[in-house]
Amino acid sequence: MLVGHPVDAAAEHVLSPSRDATLLRVLVIDDSESDAELILRMLRREGWRVVPRRIDTAEQMRAALHDCPWDLLLVDYRIPGFGAFEALAVYKEFGVDVPFLIVSGSIGEETAIKALKAGVHDFFLKDSMARFPIAVRRELEEAETRRRKRAAEDRLRRQADELAAKNRELETYAAKLRQSNTELEHFAYIASHDLSEPLRSIAAYCELLVQRYRIGALKPQDADEFVGYIEQGVDRMQNLINGLLSYSRVIHAEAAPAQVAPHEVLAGVVSSLAKNIDETGAVITYGNLPVVRGDAMQLAQIFQNLLSNAIKYRKAGERPHVTITASVRDGEAEFLVSDNGIGIAPEHWERVFVIFKRLHNQETYPGLGLGLSVTKRLVERHGGRIWVNSTPAVGSTFYFTLPLGTRSHPDGWVI
Amino acid sequence: MLPATRIVELLLIEDSAADVRLTQEALGEAGADVNIHVVPDGAAALQFLRHQPPYVDAVRPDLILLDLNLPGIDGREVLKQVRHDKSLARIPVLVLSSSTAPEDVNGAYDLCANCYLTKPLHFNEYIRLFRDIDQFWLRTARLPERGT
């Protein structure tokens, strides 16, 4: 009897070995019916329930291998028109692993060795078949072992792949977390640093006021000036705190990506800047702009920041002219916001996007230094980039890219 | 203690009008004998030091008080340029900053600042700071001759 190992359910998918351990599906490739019958009788005598098919051409073999699973292939070495090596070739075409045994009238030693090297499992001479049944049993067991091993390897490989995929996911999250932590540290440092400046001013002037007052040396115009500085400090802290809050909100804002028409967004932005535009006589020009994938409100913020900067940093005594154009390249829309303002020197082109870094003092151009850092975050959240090119005293052009059409954003907006 | 033989010309490079006034008050309370010249940013500071317009008739300072955190050209850049300029390199530069971060302190000394001072929170401490500056830099240390 065949050793009755319980067949592992998972191993079944590799091939379908017969569940009944006594069932033996034998494909006999022999042109002699009687020779075939002899061998099958031998197998039946050993206790197997033999289900045979006899074939003798390549097409029949292909058909047989295609039709159903087999447990054993018995091949006569010399069939006119279809030899054992041809049969082996067909067998290999199908990539199955079933014992392939040659049973032949005569076979030279060299041929036998060649056959074994080619992948034949064993060979027998028709007139000395004594060890045939034992050999069949052995080959069936070994085939089963190989099946189980392959199944186990497949399982392992699948698990390894899943693990690798999970690791990659984890690494992505870890990287995001690291970046988020760095930003948080940076943010906290900047917040505390930039808030302590006006606080110091407030504290010092309160003390100075009180001191002078107590010794009766406080002149009214000095009092006014000192109180003025205190109020300035308070305003500055207030503005900074509000600015930081809105910056933080922008970074964490949920956004709903959709198809957005920039010219519609711009129309809204221009009307919200109406007062500024009137006061300065600003001229805003824009033409056809490509539809982008993004959040309409955030796009409005981007344009609002860039346009209000262009108007604010205008040349004294000149109408600010701002032009918005765009081009399409590599599935991205590249926007240009050009102005005729005071410009930015090359050494500052990167600094302008850093939070709180300003190029001018509060008296000439009041501001917090938040606008461009917020704009940069918004553009980057859309998967785009932002940069500037400028000639001092001539003007500046801000470039930013936004995705067109179907492209998924790193944050997971699947489009 | 050496008496100051002449009024010391002090260049204060500071963008905050509030801090400028505080410095003036504190120097006054400290009794320092100085002429305070104020410039609001790095670019103006370099123009002043190089006698470029609009500071063509500027006097060469004996001592510079430099705020590190300036808009536009950063305080560190000003320090670097002063030290690189043969006619300016000898002028003592006292760095004033609200930062206590080691990178800022070390960085200033790496650029050859003469000393690093932290802006205090309380006005009394401001007075004491400038009294100390007056005591050391204007009454104890010898200042170099003004170059051209």
Side-chain angles (χ1 to χ4, degrees):
Chain A
M1 285 287 122
L2 272 182
V3 180
H5 293 155
V7 177
D8 190 330
E12 295 250 36
H13 83 284
V14 175
L15 279 174
S16 2
S18 51
R19 282 179 191 278
D20 177 351
T22 60
L23 183 68
L24 198 66
R25 295 163 296 194
V26 186
L27 184 64
V28 186
I29 303 162
D30 198 329
D31 58 345
S32 155
E33 172 127 30
S34 52
D35 281 358
E37 257 316 303
L38 268 167
I39 301 172
L40 293 171
R41 208 176 301 148
M42 232 190 275
L43 292 172
R44 289 195 185 98
R45 265 210 298 273
E46 288 298 312
W48 278 300
R49 238 173 358 103
V50 177
V51 173
R53 190 193 298 192
R54 187 180 64 82
I55 57 171
D56 55 22
T57 67
E59 308 85 69
Q60 286 175 341
M61 184 177 179
R62 285 200 181 88
L65 287 176
H66 184 268
D67 280 351
C68 54
W70 297 95
D71 300 312
L72 184 64
L73 259 59
L74 294 174
V75 184
D76 186 342
Y77 179 67
R78 239 184 299 268
I79 299 174
F82 187 40
F85 284 97
E86 283 95 335
L88 188 64
V90 173
Y91 168 79
K92 286 189 174 167
E93 256 175 54
F94 277 74
V96 294
D97 182 13
V98 171
F100 186 110
L101 306 181
I102 293 181
V103 181
S104 184
S106 67
I107 186 168
E109 190 169 327
E110 267 184 41
T111 318
I113 292 171
K114 190 166 149 214
L116 287 170
K117 280 193 179 162
V120 170
H121 292 104
D122 209 340
F123 65 89
F124 303 90
L125 294 174
K126 280 180 183 172
D127 53 4
S128 63
M129 296 281 279
R131 64 179 183 89
F132 179 69
I134 300 172
V136 167
R137 215 185 290 278
R138 179 199 70 223
E139 286 303 326
L140 286 169
E141 276 175 24
E142 285 183 5
E144 177 63 22
T145 307
R146 287 196 296 272
R147 256 195 295 277
R148 300 246 183 92
K149 184 160 170 252
R150 272 195 302 269
E153 280 170 1
D154 277 350
R155 258 200 315 278
L156 265 168
R157 204 177 318 120
R158 251 177 318 145
Q159 281 168 352
D161 284 343
E162 273 171 29
L163 209 63
K166 278 268 171 270
N167 274 349
R168 275 193 299 274
E169 247 184 77
L170 265 169
E171 185 46 52
T172 313
Y173 280 124
K176 271 173 139 184
L177 212 63
R178 274 194 294 269
Q179 191 197 19
S180 184
N181 275 351
T182 312
E183 279 172 5
L184 216 62
E185 268 175 43
H186 185 61
F187 192 74
Y189 171 81
I190 289 190
S192 68
H193 189 263
D194 281 66
L195 278 173
S196 60
E197 283 265 1
L199 182 63
R200 190 180 40 78
S201 191
I202 295 168
Y205 275 106
C206 283
E207 220 178 301
L208 179 50
L209 254 181
V210 167
Q211 261 180 29
R212 294 278 162 91
Y213 171 72
R214 284 212 183 113
I215 63 175
L218 183 61
K219 297 195 208 100
Q221 66 266 39
D222 282 349
D224 284 338
E225 198 176 325
F226 296 167
V227 169
Y229 286 135
I230 292 172
E231 283 173 345
Q232 243 180 54
V234 168
D235 280 342
R236 184 150 181 93
M237 283 189 86
Q238 180 88 300
N239 289 338
L240 271 171
I241 289 170
N242 288 338
L244 282 171
L245 271 173
S246 71
Y247 178 79
S248 152
R249 230 176 273 131
V250 159
I251 298 178
H252 299 109
E254 288 298 316
Q259 299 284 342
V260 179
H263 65 273
E264 281 174 20
V265 169
L266 266 172
V269 168
V270 166
S271 90
S272 74
L273 287 172
K275 185 157 168 279
N276 265 1
I277 293 171
D278 275 341
E279 283 172 0
T280 60
V283 177
I284 319 277
T285 321
Y286 55 96
N288 272 332
L289 296 169
V291 169
V292 294
R293 186 82 196 174
D295 181 281
M297 210 164 70
Q298 294 189 359
L299 184 57
Q301 270 177 290
I302 293 171
F303 278 128
Q304 171 114 359
N305 286 344
L306 292 175
L307 256 63
S308 70
N309 271 358
I311 297 172
K312 174 155 86 173
Y313 294 100
R314 61 188 180 281
K315 289 205 270 263
E318 263 187 54
R319 266 171 184 276
H321 282 258
V322 191
T323 322
I324 301 116
T325 53
S327 63
V328 173
R329 200 201 312 254
D330 300 328
E332 280 185 328
E334 188 180 281
F335 291 86
L336 287 81
V337 179
S338 288
D339 65 57
N340 62 341
I342 59 174
I344 305 168
E347 58 265 24
H348 300 313
W349 287 355
E350 293 201 10
R351 218 173 143 199
V352 285
F353 293 105
V354 177
I355 189 174
F356 296 146
K357 283 283 170 229
R358 303 199 68 235
L359 299 187
H360 306 278
N361 59 38
Q362 291 295 330
E363 281 75 40
T364 342
Y365 297 102
L368 283 177
L370 273 179
L372 279 176
S373 62
V374 169
T375 311
K376 179 164 186 264
R377 289 310 301 262
L378 289 171
V379 167
E380 285 172 354
R381 272 186 77 74
H382 282 73
R385 307 176 309 282
I386 183 168
W387 67 99
V388 66
N389 236 301
S390 174
T391 313
V394 173
S396 307
T397 301
F398 280 84
Y399 299 80
F400 66 94
T401 60
L402 289 176
L404 270 180
T406 55
R407 183 173 130 167
S408 55
H409 181 276
D411 253 4
W413 306 348
V414 174
I415 292 151
Chain B
M1 199 168 77
L2 304 160
T5 49
R6 53 176 163 77
I7 290 185
V8 169
E9 305 290 344
L10 172 70
L11 175 63
L12 173 60
I13 309 172
E14 172 61 68
D15 66 318
S16 154
D19 281 356
V20 168
R21 182 66 199 256
L22 272 177
T23 307
Q24 287 166 333
E25 291 293 328
L27 277 168
E29 299 259 350
D33 215 357
V34 283
N35 273 345
I36 307 174
H37 306 269
V38 183
V39 286
D41 57 54
L46 292 168
Q47 285 161 356
F48 185 98
L49 290 164
R50 291 175 181 147
H51 304 158
Q52 287 165 356
Y55 301 104
V56 177
D57 295 321
V59 68
R60 183 51 50 82
D62 297 306
L63 194 63
I64 297 175
L65 274 175
L66 170 65
D67 180 356
L68 272 188
N69 197 13
L70 297 169
I73 301 181
D74 175 72
R76 287 158 203 83
E77 186 55 38
V78 174
L79 182 51
K80 216 187 278 184
Q81 295 207 27
V82 164
R83 288 295 175 247
H84 267 99
D85 187 325
K86 287 213 175 82
S87 62
L88 303 172
R90 64 164 58 157
I91 308 175
V93 177
L94 315 187
V95 164
L96 267 174
S97 174
S98 35
S99 162
T100 51
E103 318 79 83
D104 291 329
V105 177
N106 296 335
Y109 282 110
D110 283 339
L111 291 170
C112 303
N114 290 79
C115 69
Y116 188 102
L117 303 161
T118 322
K119 291 184 189 177
L121 199 61
H122 297 289
F123 187 63
N124 275 335
E125 290 165 2
Y126 246 99
I127 301 178
R128 189 171 35 235
L129 172 66
F130 284 100
R131 206 167 267 155
D132 288 344
I133 291 174
D134 173 57
Q135 188 70 5
F136 182 81
W137 283 100
L138 305 182
R139 295 178 197 272
T140 309
R142 276 188 184 279
L143 291 173
E145 277 179 2
R146 281 185 209 138
T148 40

